[in-house]
Structures are given as C-alpha cells and as structure tokens.
Amino acid sequence: MLQTVSESRAVGETQRAAYRCMLRARLLDDKFAALYRAGKIHGGVFLGRGQEALSAAIGVHLNKSDVFAPLIRDAAGRLAFGEPIIDAVRTYLGSALGPMRGRDGNVHRGRPQAGYLPMISHLGAMVSVVNGVLFARRLKGISGIVGVACLGEGATSTGAFHEALNQAAVEKLPLVLVIANNQFAYSTPTNRQFACADLADRAAGYGVESHSVDATEFSVCIEKLGAAIARARAGHGPQLVVATLLRLCGHGEHDDAGYIAPEMKNSPLGRDCLKVAEEFLLKKNLADAAQFAVWRSEAIREIEDAVAQAQREPAPDPYEEKWSALASEKLNELREEH
Amino acid sequence: MSITYLDAIREAQAHALRDDPRVFIYGQDVGAFGGAFKATKNLQKEFPGRVFDSPISEDAMIGLAVGAAIEGLRPIVEMQFADFSSVAFNQIVNQAATLFWRTQVPCPITVRLPFGGTSGGGPFHSQTPETIYAHYPGLIVLTPATVEDAYSMLLEAVAIDDPVIFCEHKFLYRHLKAEKLPTEALPIGKARIAREGRDLTVVAYSAMVQDAKEAATELAAEGWEIEVVDLRSVKPLDTDTIIASVARTGKLLAVGEAWPWGGVTAEVISRVTSEGFGLLDAPPQRLNAKDTPVPYHPNLWAAHRPTVRSIAAAARKILRH
Ligand SMILES: Cc1ncc(C[n+]2csc(CCOP(=O)(O)OP(=O)(O)O)c2C)c(N)n1
Ligand SMILES: [Mg+2]
C-alpha cells in the first residue's frame, strides 16, 4: 500500500507512542516485581513481559470514547489507553486514594465511567460486558466507537468466551476480541487447551472476521491491530485477533515457569518485542539511542515518583470504611449487621 | 516428620488413587505442575494416566466428571479457587446434585474447593461458598478444620456415593501441621468437640475453628471455659452434638467466615432455637464476615472477617448476659 508522506509520519508517531507505552509498562512491571520481592505488595503480581507490543498496539488505536477491557498482561495497553501510572501503583500498593480504594488490588483496576472496565478474575467474563457497553451506546445513538476485550488463549476454553463472541456476532457489535496466545495458561500448554490448528479458524464458525498476528513483531502488531480496530469501527462487526507470542515471565511473580522448555524460549516465539521495537525505530529513524535514553529516564522518574507518592498515602481504614456493597442510600439505612 | 493440611490433601488423593482404580483427578494445572497450590504434586508421575490437566472450562469440568461418575468412575475435580466454581454452578447444582434423585444412578464426584480468605486475595480469590452448595439437596459439603480431618474426610468424600463439595481452607494449607496421618476418624456428619468448656458453646468450622480455639484460650485467662464445636461437615449438620453442648453451657455463638445473610451460622441458630430453646440462658448470637465482597487490602480484609479478637468480644458479650 502506498502511503503519503503525512500518513507515514502519522504512522511513525503511533509507533513512537506505542514504544513509549511499552517501555513504561516494562519498567513499571519491573518495579512491581521488585516491590513484590521486597514484600511490599499484598497478594500477587502479574506481568505482561513479552506482550507489550500487542497490548500497546491496542491502546494506541483506541480513542477516549472507546471501550477497553484489558486483562492481567496489559499494562502497556492500559497506559496507551490513558491510564495514569499512579492508578496502577496505587492499586498495587493498596492506597486508599487509588481507583479501587484498596477494596480491590493489582490488575483488578479500571474506571468504568471512562470506558475502562475493571476485570474480574473469572476468565472470559469481561467480553459480554464489553458487548453490553457497545450495545447500550448503540441504543443511545452513539456510533463510530469500538470495544476491545483482551483474553489469553486459555480463556477461549470458557463457556463465557463462546457465548459472548456469538452474542457480539449476532448483534454485529464493534467488538475486537484480542486473544494473546502466549502458549501457556498458567502451566497448561495449548494442546491441553484446544485441539484446533489455529484459533483464528474459529472465527468462521461465529461468522466474524479474523486477523492473525505475530505479536513478537512490533510493526506487525501496530499494523494489524490498527486494521482490526478500523474494521470494527467502520461497522464490519466483531473482529477476532489471534496473536502468537510467548509469556516471558511466570504466570505471576510467584511462579518460575519451569515448565516452559528452553527450546521454546530460544525460538523466534521467545523474542523480546521491546528489543524488536527498538531495532525497528532505529532502522526507520524514528528514534535514536539518545532518545531511548531520555524516554527511559523519564519513565523511571515517573514510576519512582508514583511509588514514592503512593507509599506516603493512607491505606484504607477499616473504621472509616463504609461496610456496604449497596449504592442505594435508602437501602443502606435498612441494612442489618450480624 | 510433620505433615501439613496441604500434604494431607495430597496424601489422601494418592491413597485414593492407589486403592481405587476408579479414581482419577481432573483440574487446571493439576498434572505435571501439581496444581496452583501443589495439592496434586507428583501425582501425575506416580499415577500415570490418572491425573489430567483440564482446559479452563469449569462448567465442562464438572459435566465431564458427572459423565464419568455415571460410568462408574470416581473423579476428583480440583477448582483452581473456590471462587471459580461459580462458573460450574449449573452443573454442580442441577446435574450432579439431582442425578441420583432423578435416576437412581449415583454421582460420586468430589469437587475440591480451595476456599477462604488469605490476605491480599481480594474479591475473587477469597470466597467461602459452602452455604450456597449446602442449600441444594443432593450435595454433601465438608469443611475440615484439622490436618487429620483434611486427610480422612477427603478419603471418605471419594468413597461417598454422592457429590461432595470439599472445602479446603487456603490459609490452613501451610499453617496447620500434624505429626502423622490418622488411622481412624469420626464418621462424616459427626461434629467434634475441639475444646471442652461449660460457660459458652462456640460453633465453628474450617479455619474459624482455630480462631475460636485461640479466642477460648484468651477467655480462659479471664476465667471463662469455652466449648468449641468443630462442625467438620456443614451438610449434613450435626445438630445433636451442638444441642448437647448447648445443654451443658446454656449459651451459643455461631461463627463463620462466610457472609452474614443466611448461611451455616443462621442454620445453627435456627436449629438450636427451635429444638433446644429451653436450654438457652441467653439469646444465641452469630458472627460472620461483613456484607460486602471480600476486600483486597489487609487492613480491610482483617476487619471484614471474624478474628480471634472479634470472636472473643462477641463471646464476652454473651457471657455477661
Ligand atoms: C474461570 C476461571 N477459572 C480459573 C481461573 C484461574 N486462572 C487465572 S489465570 C489462569 C490462566 C489463564 O491463561 P490464559 O487465558 O492463557 O492467559 P495468560 O495468563 O496466559 O495471559 C487461570 C487458570 C480464572 N481466573 N478464571
Ligand atoms: Mg496464555
């Protein structure tokens, strides 16, 4: 495809923006891992190492008015969608001032009012919720938006996945369902998860379009996610994106991932998308070593500041806590305690 | 040698696999990985062809187990966390629980639920859904509070011809230790007096038994003798042992980690008030978690559930009645 000069400059900007989110996400993940090892984090820590290109490529193609339901490995996409680093840090450190106020933690964060849906743990469960937001917006006469739901390949085995993809297809919703096939669901390899040769083949069965992405390849991620999101935005119905990559970390920081064979880590699947992206930007003259160094030090400062700030902030106070799960003030007054 | 609650669960499964060729294990990551909590560590190696990794398909996991049970096998299904059994709810309560009643074909499946709160677990890795399963006819719901019971009750769960919801507390996994595995045990459906006393009966189950015993120790220093009843199984519920205890003490506190609306503690109070009203010297009380999802932050989490302190405080209130 021929591109005009201004188009290619815009693509270059997208790539630079995506890279910066990847870098910030990687450094943020590294910080969370360090805090975890230091015993500063309650509960688990889940990283997206190796998945930043895919995740960022989603975020940079979304607008503020779109809908995004990221999952545990989407720090990069969250940042690209506009999540401030402080939201992530506050949630991991349990600050009372974070978006979840210490009630929920780590990757379970979001701002539903802003189209940024906070995941529950139950895999597959967020997809139909994205459908619902898209459906409601259509009823309200809003068009030109898309919703992205992220899943791992393991989550494609849930009933919720099937029901939601079919539902989106029937309603022809502008849903982009991104499956990061990182070869493992916790320790379970893909041959214990599904028996089809390629998850993208399933798209035909639902009557939706599909896109296959080598997610270790930065420029491919940007291009293919851009295309899939544009197709959905233009009214072509749900898009199934099947991205192939490898999780370059444990399932969580408690897990050494000893079940991943060294041959797989050393194969092209195990390439680090962040390095690939750097090489790409260098080759295309979109950034140089000095620029990388500036971005890195800016990101580190931003993260360190956020951590220092969140660590000074109050933890949730059980005596101040309003122990109610009800929104209705009237009903709250009737509440009984046991 | 010391054996943890988790070891006991692993050993019981090894024992069941060894003794009964009909037994197999099915669950996410239970194979070479040994399960998220390592409750099936090395079992796949020791019992080739008997321990299988499942896809992330809780509904289909229980469906498969029911089918295998119809064929005469005795599957043990591990849910990665009790919280995810909600995805299998339909198969558990409508398929497994009704099968025998409808067809006279038994459904001997054991569903292992790593359940209960641990600090930092948050709303979706901390739940205690025993009540909801106990509500359904056809299910047995077990809640072992000791290493010995974890072992013997799991063995018995596998032997029982009905579907068993086996609630194993995640906090107890590594915190409870015993010297050796038991050779005999109380039958399922029998509660145990975990500590004798004459001033107040505290009924508890699962991890709350330990907290209740600690509270009893605290109160002993104030001169009170607290009797702690460990339910062991919440369905069937051993009303006789509870009532016999209340007959001795005249006072009752029922403690549960689950939410306050309805549930095991409400059932205990309801049975004692209707069957043993005359035995009570004070209004019976219940202590549960607060009526919100389980919070993530340890400050909130510790205030959400009953603790040794809150159990002791609730007990003092009844004792002073
Ligand atoms: C319904 C449900 N069952 C089990 C789990 C426990 N669990 C959390 S993550 C995970 C593996 C997910 O694998 P995959 O979907 O491939 O995503 P990845 O972790 O590889 O990104 C499992 C089994 C869960 N969260 N939800
Ligand atoms: Mg995966």
Side-chain angles (χ1 to χ4, degrees), chain A residues 46 51 71-73 120-124 151-156 158 180-188 193 247 251, chain B residues 28-29 56-58 80-81 84 87 125:
Chain A
F46 302 91
Q51 306 198 184
L71 230 58
I72 59 179
R73 311 204 187 280
I120 70 165
S121 294
H122 298 62
L123 295 166
L151 290 182
E153 86 292 345
T156 65
T158 62
N181 179 0
N182 62 7
Q183 315 307 318
F184 291 90
Y186 206 160
S187 77
T188 303
Q193 205 68 247
R247 198 183 72 208
H251 173 63
Chain B
Q28 294 155 24
D29 301 289
I56 306 172
S57 304
E58 285 80 4
Q80 198 149 72
F81 284 81
F84 301 124
V87 181
H125 291 80

Side-chain angles (χ1 to χ4, degrees), chain A:
Chain A
M1 196 167 61
L2 284 177
Q3 282 179 333
T4 64
V5 173
S6 72
E7 261 173 353
S8 70
R9 188 165 303 138
V11 171
E13 265 323 301
T14 303
Q15 288 159 337
R16 280 160 57 96
Y19 172 78
R20 289 189 68 184
C21 290
M22 293 169 62
L23 178 66
R24 289 163 75 219
R26 177 69 60 93
L27 294 167
L28 183 61
D29 271 2
D30 287 348
K31 184 69 189 178
F32 287 140
L35 289 167
Y36 176 82
R37 285 192 299 273
K40 296 271 165 61
I41 287 179
H42 309 294
V45 166
F46 302 91
L47 308 185
R49 197 172 295 149
Q51 306 198 184
E52 293 94 340
L54 174 67
S55 189
I58 298 166
V60 290
H61 288 107
L62 294 180
N63 305 323
K64 284 260 172 287
S65 53
D66 288 329
V67 185
F68 187 35
L71 230 58
I72 59 179
R73 311 204 187 280
D74 284 307
R78 291 170 188 261
L79 293 172
F81 189 57
E83 178 185 69
I85 274 184
I86 189 72
D87 274 17
V89 171
R90 281 172 163 161
T91 309
Y92 259 111
L93 292 177
S95 161
L97 307 184
M100 310 309 281
R101 295 166 293 161
R103 291 181 177 184
D104 210 340
N106 54 60
V107 288
H108 297 97
R109 58 179 196 267
R111 293 188 181 266
Q113 320 83 315
Y116 173 29
L117 304 184
M119 60 176 279
I120 70 165
S121 294
H122 298 62
L123 295 166
M126 298 309 295
V127 186
S128 55
V129 179
V130 175
N131 289 348
V133 176
L134 297 173
F135 188 77
R137 297 222 183 144
R138 177 192 287 166
L139 292 181
K140 291 197 275 187
I142 299 168
S143 59
I145 54 148
V146 297
V148 177
C150 297
L151 290 182
E153 86 292 345
T156 65
S157 306
T158 62
F161 166 84
H162 297 280
E163 294 189 15
L165 184 49
N166 182 61
Q167 180 182 55
V170 167
E171 291 296 343
K172 222 166 183 280
L173 294 172
L175 170 75
V176 181
L177 189 49
V178 181
I179 301 171
N181 179 0
N182 62 7
Q183 315 307 318
F184 291 90
Y186 206 160
S187 77
T188 303
T190 54
N191 67 354
R192 294 297 306 166
Q193 205 68 247
F194 49 84
C196 57
D198 186 345
L199 285 172
D201 295 343
R202 290 191 182 171
Y206 292 101
V208 305
E209 299 179 0
S210 76
H211 310 255
S212 297
V213 182
D214 172 358
T216 65
E217 194 58 76
F218 172 69
S219 59
V220 171
C221 287
I222 303 288
E223 182 203 331
K224 296 264 176 127
L225 268 297
I229 289 170
R231 288 287 294 170
R233 205 184 290 288
H236 297 285
Q239 308 289 312
L240 181 68
V241 176
V242 178
T244 307
L245 71 172
L246 184 66
R247 198 183 72 208
L248 303 183
C249 51
H251 173 63
E253 281 308 274
H254 59 279
D255 172 30
D256 67 7
Y259 44 81
I260 303 184
E263 300 84 69
M264 193 178 255
K265 290 184 194 162
N266 296 328
S267 77
L269 262 184
R271 286 198 303 170
D272 182 350
C273 62
L274 192 66
K275 296 246 158 57
V276 174
E278 275 165 25
E279 284 158 19
F280 176 86
L281 294 185
L282 282 171
K283 204 173 86 199
K284 294 281 175 187
N285 275 329
L286 288 167
D288 56 17
Q291 179 68 78
F292 287 139
V294 171
W295 283 340
R296 175 174 288 266
S297 61
E298 280 174 3
I300 289 173
R301 190 168 346 111
E302 188 187 6
I303 292 163
E304 292 300 332
D305 287 352
V307 170
Q309 180 182 337
Q311 281 178 332
R312 282 194 306 270
E313 288 173 354
D317 178 349
Y319 300 102
E320 295 289 311
E321 177 75 9
K322 181 173 161 198
W323 288 99
S324 166
L326 300 180
S328 159
E329 284 304 331
K330 264 227 165 63
L331 291 175
N332 268 324
E333 284 163 22
L334 299 176
R335 232 158 24 97
E336 345 146 35
E337 289 262 1
H338 290 284

Side-chain angles (χ1 to χ4, degrees), chain B residues 254-315:
Chain B
V255 182
E257 186 182 330
W259 288 306
W261 201 96
V264 177
T265 56
E267 186 67 25
V268 167
I269 304 277
S270 136
R271 291 188 187 199
V272 171
T273 41
S274 62
E275 294 171 38
F277 191 69
L279 304 171
L280 289 162
D281 301 334
Q285 300 295 328
R286 10 183 339 233
L287 187 64
N288 286 284
K290 295 190 194 298
D291 195 21
T292 69
V294 185
Y296 158 77
H297 197 281
N299 290 2
L300 300 181
W301 175 71
H304 179 260
R305 67 208 297 269
T307 57
V308 174
R309 247 174 98 190
S310 68
I311 296 169

